[in-house]
Amino acid sequence: MRTRSHKLIYYWTKRQWELFDLRADPQELRNLYGQPGQEAVTAELQATLARLREELQDDDRFASEQPPDGVDGTVAQLRGR
């Protein structure tokens, strides 16, 4: 989940989060997730991510296996030629 000022990443295989302030740390070197003072932005981005996942029906159905034509389908395969 990315906004103009922040980026929130969830690594589902590790169940770990990362939060970066893109204005103060454009190189994304300092993980702010869980740090004091970051609760509001973290909650906002997590809520937005949850809403988008529901809206897009992202239910992790391909979390443990790839779809038959790959994640991007046959279009990505054709571009690679």
Side-chain angles (χ1 to χ4, degrees):
M1 175 74 242
R2 182 186 173 121
T3 66
R4 290 182 180 191
S5 61
H6 289 84
K7 182 176 181 180
L8 180 72
I9 304 167
Y10 180 62
Y11 296 98
W12 59 269
T13 56
K14 296 181 179 184
R15 299 181 190 266
Q16 291 181 329
W17 293 89
E18 289 185 348
L19 174 68
F20 298 101
D21 181 333
L22 299 174
R23 291 182 179 150
D25 180 20
Q27 301 288 326
E28 300 176 18
L29 300 175
R30 185 166 177 245
N31 182 7
L32 300 176
Y33 187 82
Q35 298 296 314
Q38 301 303 316
E39 298 87 356
V41 70
T42 299
E44 179 183 343
L45 292 176
Q46 285 177 328
T48 302
L49 179 60
R51 180 185 57 77
L52 288 170
R53 288 190 66 196
E54 183 176 333
E55 186 178 302
L56 298 170
Q57 299 176 5
D58 180 1
D59 58 5
D60 289 335
R61 66 178 164 245
F62 300 120
S64 61
E65 63 183 58
Q66 293 293 317
D69 291 329
V71 175
D72 295 320
T74 55
V75 173
Q77 294 170 4
L78 293 174
R79 286 184 187 157
R81 290 183 181 176

